[in-house]
Each structure stands twice: as C-alpha cells, then as structure tokens.
Amino acid sequence: MGLPPAPRAGGPQRRELRGSADGATSSGRATVARFRIVPPRTPLPVSATHGSTSLRGVAWPLSAMMLVQAMTTMGVVTVPVLAPAIAAALAVGSSSVGPYQSLAYAGAAVLTLMSGSLVRRHGGVRVNQASVMVSAAGLALTVIGTLPVIALGALLVGMGYGLATPGASHVLARVCPAAHRGLVFSIKQSAVPVGGLLAGVLLPPVAERFGWATAVLLSAALVAVSAAIIQPLREGVDDDRDPAHRVGLGAPGQAVRMVLSTPALRPVALAAFSFAAMQLSLFAFLVTYLVERAGRDLVQAGLVFAAMQAAGVVARVAWGWVSDRLLPARPLLGLLGVGVIVTTLAATAFSPGWSLAALTAVAVAMGLTAVGWNGVYLAEVARVVPLDQVGTATGGVLMFTFAGVAFGPATFGATVALTGSYAAAFLVMDALVLVTVVALLRGRARV
C-alpha cells in the first residue's frame, strides 16, 4: 500500500499541523488523529510528538540528526586533521589547509542558503541524506591527489556540511515539544565536537599504518553509510514535502531577505556572526597564543585547548536546558556575550607567570561561553518563524554564521600581524560582541 498524498505547503492540513505544534486547539487534535493513519511500516508519525510534553518520541529523530551532524563535521575536518601527512605526500606546505578550509566554508555558505527551498521540496531527512553523500563524494575526490581536484573536493565537503543543519532544524522543529526545544537543539549541536573528536582519534592512526588515502576513504565510507542508517525515518518525517515547490536561483536571496526583514531574526543573525567570529578565532589561534605569549609547550597548549572544547560540549547541552526552563534565548545569548567579553579580556593577560591550572580555568570559562551558544540560537530561529519556514530561516541565519567563520580568524590574524599584539586582536573581536550584546538585550522580539 502506498503512502497517502503529502499535504501541500500552505494547505488546510499544513495549517492545522502548525496549530497542533503551537497550541492545544481542537483543529490541532483532529490533525493528530488524521496523521496517525499511516501504513504500519512508517517508523514515526511526525505528529505523534506534537503538543506532547515528553521527549520519548524525539529520541530517534534526534539521534539520526546528531549522526548526520557528527558525520558532516567529520567530513569537513578530515583533511585538516590529516594535513601534515597529505602535505608531505604532495610536497606542499601544511599551511595549505587554510585555503582548503576557506573553500569548504564557501561551499557551506552557498548551499545553506539553498537548503530551505530544498527542504520544502524534498523533506528534511532527504536533504540530510544528500548532505552526507555530497560530503563523502568530496572526500573521495581528495585521494586523487592533485590540488585542483582536492579544491573541488573541499567545495563538495563544505556543501554537504552546509546542507545538514537547516534540514535537521526542520525535522526537529516538527517533532520536538516546544517546552524542550532549546535542550533538543543544543544536544543536536553537541554532535559537532563529537565529529571532530572522532576524526582526531580515528584517522591519524589509520593514516600512520595504511597511508593518508586509506584514512580519507575510511572517513568517506563512514560519512556515506549514515545516509542508509537514517532512511527508515523518512516516511514518517518527510510527509510535509512538496514536490511541486520550485528550487530556483532566487532561493539564497529569499533566505537572506527573510532574516533581514524579520525583526526577531536580525539580532539572532548578528549573534551568529559575531559569536562564530570569536569562536573560530579561538579555535585558530589559542594554541599559538599559549605557546608564543604564555610560554607553554605544544603539549600543554593542546591540553588547555582540549579543556576549552570539552567545556563547550557540556555547555551546549546545559545552556539549552537553561533556555527552556530559566531564561529565554535572547537574554541568555546576551549574557553569554558578556561572558565571552569577560573571559577573553582575562585571556589578554596571559603570560609565562600564569600557572597551567589558571590558564586552563580561563580556557574552560571561554568554552562555556564562546563555544557553548550554538544550540540556543538555532532553537530561537525555529521558535520565531512558521514551521514550514524553519529550513529557510535557518539557512539564512547560518549564512551569517559562516560569514563570521570567514571574518573572525582573518580579522584576528590581520590585527596580530599589523599590531604585533594578541590583546589588540581580542579587543577588536570583543567590540563586535559588545554590539551584539546591546542588540540582544534591548528587549524581547515581538513574534
């Protein structure tokens, strides 16, 4: 028996489904009853969790979206993790990883703007499947070993990375009870450092024993297989797809216009830009800063950096819980911005006289603030737009995130080069964060 026709976007069923997610209306209850009449092979009727206060029905889709997030992250960091071995084999400088990352995030920025329209046409699960397959293809191209092909692979890996989050946000917004949205989105985002951890632990030993190409192909295989793992989720979750929806060249502009024309989204997009700029600056320069200005060796600097990352994993989940139970997302993001400024100002005082414990304590504080904000802002995007626009809005805001990723390390590095001062670079980034704090704390958005 085939599935019943998918409800068209904007039709009566679509409006009733959105009502059931936002409130306990009579039409919403009727919608739940109708949407449960599906073939037994459907693993998760989406509306089964709408209006519920339980997280039980969210576990499977959340796990699936976390898997995709971890795998696409693993894909985008595979070449940087293996950069010394790849650079030696190709007789290029290891600094070539910089242009590789720039190409990857350029690809991510372009595809994330298209993703909302793709989600409406094909569904969030299918877009996530496409994201891991595109990423795996980019990794596979890398083993050809010529620089132009590796550059093309970087674009593809980045495109896969850019597709993943808007599709996942759409899926989770449909199945997640509103009371737990911040926690669920933050748990999903905790898969980002998990993907990086997997790449760092698994791939270098494989490269050392079997060669870098084998390690890259292993990564590609792991990334690709996740598409098959999440396939059972599609029938129950992608029932809102609209095959008649056109994906045109205007989709990126539509996503950006939505962000700029929606008062509730503009401060969130500014936060995404400035916080991403600071976060990636810390990722890129903290170890070097600790070695050059705090007098630490590479091993000790690496341990301090790892402490910051570990704190960020814990913080992503904790701040999600706080945004659900104690403090709304906008003021919480504003207070996190204050924390970013305070902790990075403390970091400007690093010197050889600081103990390793003191350096680690500041790094942990930076992890709790500058690394732990991601899930909160994604949940806020899903809260302030209609359900069928979550993918488009998330793609638009993510464009500002990727812009911050490109802007932050480049500006930080240029400031250090021009002034010879890391403190000056931190102050430049803190000024940007301060503007964001003011925008976030001026008042609640009218939704």
Side-chain angles (χ1 to χ4, degrees), residues 30-75:
T31 300
V32 171
R34 284 200 302 274
F35 270 78
R36 281 179 175 164
I37 303 175
V38 293
R41 59 198 174 111
T42 301
L44 176 71
V46 167
S47 55
T49 60
H50 280 295
S52 169
T53 59
S54 172
L55 286 173
R56 187 176 305 169
V58 185
W60 164 222
L62 174 58
S63 299
M65 297 301 100
M66 289 182 69
L67 174 64
V68 170
Q69 187 71 72
M71 290 298 98
T72 53
T73 301
M74 183 176 179

Side-chain angles (χ1 to χ4, degrees), residues 393-409:
T394 301
V397 174
L398 277 173
M399 189 279 294
F400 289 89
T401 305
F402 290 129
V405 166
F407 173 83

Side-chain angles (χ1 to χ4, degrees), residues 294-376:
R296 296 295 164 174
D297 60 37
L298 190 59
V299 173
Q300 291 176 330
L303 290 174
V304 174
F305 181 83
M308 181 182 71
Q309 293 279 23
V313 173
V314 175
R316 290 184 184 213
V317 178
W319 294 132
W321 182 88
V322 170
S323 72
D324 286 334
R325 303 297 180 88
L326 302 177
L327 190 64
R330 281 167 56 95
L332 176 58
L333 288 169
L335 292 178
L336 286 177
V338 173
V340 169
I341 294 171
V342 171
T343 55
T344 52
L345 285 176
T348 63
F350 283 178
S351 71
W354 282 55
S355 68
L356 183 61
L359 294 171
T360 303
V362 175
V364 167
M366 289 191 294
L368 294 175
T369 53
V371 184
W373 53 276
N374 307 68
V376 175

Side-chain angles (χ1 to χ4, degrees), residues 79-396:
V79 169
V81 163
L82 299 174
I86 296 174
L90 301 181
V92 298
S94 59
S95 61
S96 299
V97 71
Y100 180 93
Q101 288 291 77
S102 296
L103 285 171
Y105 284 115
V110 172
L111 259 291
T112 199
L113 291 173
M114 296 286 294
S115 57
S117 191
L118 291 170
V119 166
R120 291 187 66 182
R121 181 179 176 89
H122 300 289
V125 175
R126 181 64 86 217
V127 167
N128 268 259
Q129 289 176 305
S131 75
V132 291
M133 295 307 297
V134 171
S135 182
L139 289 172
L141 285 176
T142 303
V143 303
I144 294 175
T146 62
L147 294 182
V149 176
I150 291 175
L152 175 59
L155 283 171
L156 291 177
V157 167
M159 288 176 179
Y161 187 76
L163 279 174
T165 298
S169 290
H170 180 83
V171 169
L172 294 178
R174 295 197 72 215
V175 303
C176 177
H180 301 293
R181 188 172 288 152
L183 177 61
V184 167
F185 276 68
S186 296
I187 291 174
K188 195 274 290 184
Q189 284 303 107
S190 71
V192 172
V194 170
L197 178 64
L198 285 173
V201 171
L202 180 62
L203 300 182
V206 174
E208 185 174 336
R209 183 166 183 179
F210 301 104
W212 69 267
T214 301
V216 170
L217 288 175
L218 173 61
S219 179
L222 292 174
V223 171
V225 77
S226 59
I229 294 174
I230 70 171
Q231 173 60 26
L233 186 67
R234 188 171 192 250
E235 286 186 353
V237 174
D238 280 357
D239 61 336
D240 66 333
R241 62 188 183 274
D242 180 7
H245 178 75
R246 296 184 60 184
V247 180
L249 296 177
Q254 178 187 0
V256 174
R257 284 194 299 271
M258 174 182 287
V259 172
L260 296 179
S261 64
T262 305
L265 288 178
R266 288 197 293 265
V268 179
L270 178 59
F273 176 83
S274 62
F275 288 6
M278 177 64 85
Q279 178 179 305
L280 268 292
S281 296
L282 292 174
F283 286 1
F285 291 98
L286 181 61
V287 170
T288 303
Y289 179 50
L290 289 167
V291 171
E292 292 184 1
R293 301 301 165 91
R296 296 295 164 174
D297 60 37
L298 190 59
V299 173
Q300 291 176 330
L303 290 174
V304 174
F305 181 83
M308 181 182 71
Q309 293 279 23
V313 173
V314 175
R316 290 184 184 213
V317 178
W319 294 132
W321 182 88
V322 170
S323 72
D324 286 334
R325 303 297 180 88
L326 302 177
L327 190 64
R330 281 167 56 95
L332 176 58
L333 288 169
L335 292 178
L336 286 177
V338 173
V340 169
I341 294 171
V342 171
T343 55
T344 52
L345 285 176
T348 63
F350 283 178
S351 71
W354 282 55
S355 68
L356 183 61
L359 294 171
T360 303
V362 175
V364 167
M366 289 191 294
L368 294 175
T369 53
V371 184
W373 53 276
N374 307 68
V376 175
Y377 94 93
L378 288 173
E380 180 68 359
V381 172
R383 184 184 72 85
V384 301
V385 299
L387 186 60
D388 60 353
Q389 296 295 318
V390 168
T392 300
T394 301

